[in-house]
């Protein structure tokens, strides 16, 4: 398994991170991708990648909900600088995107930050991890500026409609959908969407410490819990969990250039 999006570098894991990584390895988790969300989180990402270089891989980006209305330009410049200085050490740009769930106060700044980070990723030949929440109407005009081969990466924690999924995957052949714990939730519409998505366009993720899957919902999430997501995908696609692991691993390696 490959956890394509997790935040186990955060304070929630400060007391037992070694056990968390050990449990991930014991459940056959081969790689863990750690997207920073702001400049302040980069040091924590770097430290964990230095401690576990064979399994942990870094991405840097400015998350839409981390954008501060009064200093977003300074934040963006700092992130872009860190990405440019660290391009040999990171596998991609993320977590970036658009989020209108809590309101639209920073939407103009979000648009600019998202677009500039997409351009940077394209110019560096890096994949992206995109967070799009309640913002697909804002997403499409930005994405229409890019050619089909200019965007590679994942729509992390996909929460759009089947129409959004089909449009994104048809526009960008190097894009995949990231699915995690929400796939297992009783009222989730994601299973009905995913069954219409080719398995070679899906990767798995935790977004830990958030969105723990059933039967662990409400607890702190971690990479070892990916087994529950794999089980659900096995039911949806009606193929073995071993085959789900193999295919989603291949997808992640292809998109994020992992060995």
């Amino acid at each position: 398994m490959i956890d394509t999006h997790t935040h186990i570098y955060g304070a929630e894991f400060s007391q037992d991170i070694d056990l968390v990584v050990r449990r991930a390895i014991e459940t056959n988790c081969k790689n863990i991708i750690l997207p920073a969300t702001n400049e302040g989180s980069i040091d924590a990402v770097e430290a964990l990648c230095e401690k576990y270089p064979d399994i942990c891989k870094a991405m840097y980006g400015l998350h839409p909900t981390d954008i501060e209305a009064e200093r977003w330009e300074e934040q963006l410049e700092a992130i872009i600088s860190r990405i440019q200085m660290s391009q040999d050490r990171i596998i991609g740009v993320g977590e970036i995107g658009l989020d209108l769930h809590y309101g639209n106060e920073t939407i103009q700044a979000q648009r600019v930050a998202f677009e500039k980070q997409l351009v940077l990723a394209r110019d560096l030949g890096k994949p992206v991890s995109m967070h799009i929440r309640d913002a697909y109407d804002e997403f499409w005009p930005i994405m229409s500026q890019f050619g089909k081969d200019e965007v590679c990466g994942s729509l992390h924690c996909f929460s759009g409609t089947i129409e959004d999924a089909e449009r994104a995957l048809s526009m960008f052949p190097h894009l995949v959908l990231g699915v995690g714990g929400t796939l297992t939730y009783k009222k989730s519409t994601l299973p009905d969407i995913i069954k219409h998505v080719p398995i070679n366009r899906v990767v798995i993720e935790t977004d830990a410490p958030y969105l723990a899957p059933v039967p662990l919902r409400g607890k702190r999430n971690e990479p070892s819990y990916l087994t529950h997501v794999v089980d659900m995908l096995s039911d949806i696609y009606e193929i073995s969990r071993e085959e789900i692991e193999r295919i989603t691993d291949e997808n992640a390696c292809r998109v994020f250039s992992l060995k």
Side-chain angles (χ1 to χ4, degrees):
M1 298 185 298
I2 295 176
D3 190 344
T4 59
H5 193 110
T6 188
H7 304 279
I8 61 170
Y9 57 82
E12 298 89 346
F13 299 91
S14 61
Q15 301 301 309
D16 64 343
I17 186 59
D18 294 330
L19 289 174
V20 169
V21 173
R22 184 186 305 169
R23 285 193 290 268
I25 294 171
E26 289 172 351
T27 54
N28 198 35
C29 192
K30 303 177 181 70
N31 285 119
I32 297 170
I33 298 178
L34 307 171
T37 59
N38 53 47
E39 190 184 15
S41 63
I42 287 177
D43 289 344
V45 169
E46 286 186 344
L48 197 53
C49 288
E50 288 174 2
K51 189 172 187 180
Y52 295 101
D54 293 334
I55 187 169
C56 292
K57 308 300 176 183
M59 302 181 80
Y60 299 166
L62 180 58
H63 190 287
T65 63
D66 281 55
I67 290 174
E68 299 175 16
E70 296 181 358
R71 57 179 296 268
W72 68 270
E73 291 174 303
E74 176 187 343
Q75 288 180 292
L76 181 59
E77 288 176 6
I79 285 288
I80 288 175
S81 178
R82 292 294 293 269
I83 292 170
Q84 291 171 330
M85 289 189 300
S86 306
Q87 57 184 286
D88 293 336
R89 298 200 305 274
I90 63 175
I91 66 165
V93 176
E95 179 176 356
I96 65 175
L98 302 164
D99 192 319
L100 294 179
H101 186 71
Y102 299 106
N104 62 359
E105 178 185 0
T106 63
I107 186 56
Q108 181 54 33
Q110 288 187 37
R111 289 191 197 103
V112 174
F114 182 41
E115 184 175 344
K116 285 193 173 183
Q117 290 177 99
L118 283 172
V119 168
L120 179 60
R122 179 198 65 193
D123 293 348
L124 294 177
K126 300 285 188 182
V128 293
S129 185
M130 296 185 287
H131 168 114
I132 309 298
R133 188 180 189 192
D134 297 340
Y136 276 92
D137 287 344
E138 299 286 344
F139 175 73
W140 297 120
I142 293 173
M143 300 306 291
S144 67
Q145 302 174 58
F146 294 87
K148 67 182 182 67
D149 295 320
E150 292 185 319
V151 178
C152 174
S154 68
L155 274 170
H156 142 69
C157 195
F158 181 74
S159 60
T161 63
I162 182 61
E163 291 78 16
D164 292 323
E166 291 174 344
R167 184 175 179 183
L169 297 180
S170 63
M171 284 177 68
F172 301 104
H174 309 297
L175 199 62
V176 291
L177 303 187
V179 299
T182 54
L183 186 71
T184 69
Y185 296 171
K186 185 176 181 180
K187 295 183 179 180
S188 174
T189 60
L190 193 54
D192 290 332
I193 293 171
I194 290 299
K195 70 182 180 183
H196 295 291
V197 175
I199 184 61
N200 68 344
R201 304 299 296 276
V202 173
V203 294
I204 57 176
E205 59 174 53
T206 58
D207 201 22
Y210 316 108
L211 303 176
V214 173
L216 301 160
R217 189 174 183 181
K219 297 184 178 181
R220 184 193 68 175
N221 204 359
E222 62 175 71
S224 65
Y225 296 170
L226 277 177
T227 55
H228 300 286
V229 179
V230 169
D231 288 341
M232 188 68 180
L233 286 172
S234 178
D235 290 342
I236 291 171
Y237 287 107
E238 299 183 337
I239 57 179
S240 71
R241 70 180 321 280
E242 291 77 17
E243 192 71 353
I244 293 292
E245 285 191 27
R246 182 187 67 79
I247 296 171
T248 56
D249 281 359
E250 288 179 355
N251 298 344
C253 289
R254 180 182 74 247
V255 170
F256 295 105
S257 298
L258 300 170
K259 295 181 180 179

